[in-house]
Amino acid sequence: MIVFFFFLRDLIALLPQHNGFTVRYDWGSQDVLNKSLLLKSTQNKYPLIWLVNNTVTYDRISNKSRSKTRLVFATQTDDKDQLNNFQYQTSYSNILIPVYENFIKLMDRSGITMIIGSNSEYQLRPNYSVNENGKGLITIWNALVLDIEIEIQGNSCINTIKF
């Protein structure tokens, strides 16, 4: 069986470092996200790709998993008091958009993944802090939120990818 979030984790581990930092990946609910952000770690927490809990369809005959997926590409806001143009120049053009573009290359070229359809929806969210039932992030992010449908094939080898 293909465990979607583990395969995605292994693929994202292939992304190149960005400005000397490894792109981190994790998944889960808002509560799990906040726990993850609170953990003291020797590694940098950003840039981060967070997989929001999702439903996966698994075809056991073909050994493929497919999911309409929401991924949040995030970095900590440099200065939350600044307006969108500053946020775009510091976080988006320098960090989040290049990481997003490498992720799309990874999905297109890995040999085991396929983006379903030719469209994906994304939203730039400067000074992003989720507020759901009074619960929000414990930090403020600049984020790129991507909604995309991904299929993972479990019977293939991962290609070597040049970024």
Side-chain angles (χ1 to χ4, degrees), residues 79-88 126-127:
D79 186 347
K80 66 183 179 188
D81 294 327
Q82 292 291 329
L83 298 176
N84 291 347
N85 191 47
F86 175 85
Q87 304 303 344
Y88 184 85
N127 292 323

Side-chain angles (χ1 to χ4, degrees), residues 37 44-48 74-79 87 90-91 95-96 127 138-143:
L37 292 173
N44 197 353
K45 294 180 176 152
Y46 301 103
L48 171 68
T75 190
Q76 213 164 13
T77 301
D78 288 333
D79 186 347
Q87 304 303 344
T90 58
S91 293
I95 302 168
L96 296 174
N127 292 323
I138 60 170
T139 189
I140 297 176
W141 285 347
N142 282 328

Side-chain angles (χ1 to χ4, degrees), residues 36-153:
S36 173
L37 292 173
L38 283 172
L39 291 175
K40 291 187 179 187
S41 175
T42 57
Q43 68 185 49
N44 197 353
K45 294 180 176 152
Y46 301 103
L48 171 68
I49 300 176
W50 187 268
L51 171 65
V52 178
N53 280 344
N54 61 333
T55 301
V56 177
T57 302
Y58 175 64
D59 181 336
R60 60 182 172 71
I61 303 297
S62 64
N63 196 28
K64 294 179 182 178
S65 285
R66 185 181 280 200
S67 177
K68 291 182 181 173
T69 302
R70 172 166 281 184
L71 295 162
V72 181
F73 295 72
T75 190
Q76 213 164 13
T77 301
D78 288 333
D79 186 347
K80 66 183 179 188
D81 294 327
Q82 292 291 329
L83 298 176
N84 291 347
N85 191 47
F86 175 85
Q87 304 303 344
Y88 184 85
Q89 293 302 321
T90 58
S91 293
Y92 290 97
S93 65
N94 295 330
I95 302 168
L96 296 174
I97 291 172
V99 171
Y100 160 81
E101 288 172 342
N102 281 336
F103 175 81
I104 296 298
K105 284 179 193 173
L106 176 67
M107 294 296 104
D108 286 340
R109 299 176 185 171
S110 74
I112 69 164
T113 53
M114 181 170 60
I115 297 172
I116 305 301
S118 59
N119 295 322
S120 57
E121 294 181 6
Y122 72 90
Q123 183 179 29
L124 303 181
R125 302 284 304 269
N127 292 323
Y128 175 73
S129 178
V130 176
N131 191 358
E132 188 175 298
N133 297 328
K135 295 181 181 178
L137 289 174
I138 60 170
T139 189
I140 297 176
W141 285 347
N142 282 328
L144 184 153
V145 179
L146 174 66
D147 290 308
I148 192 169
E149 188 171 3
I150 299 171
E151 181 176 274
I152 299 177
Q153 304 168 19

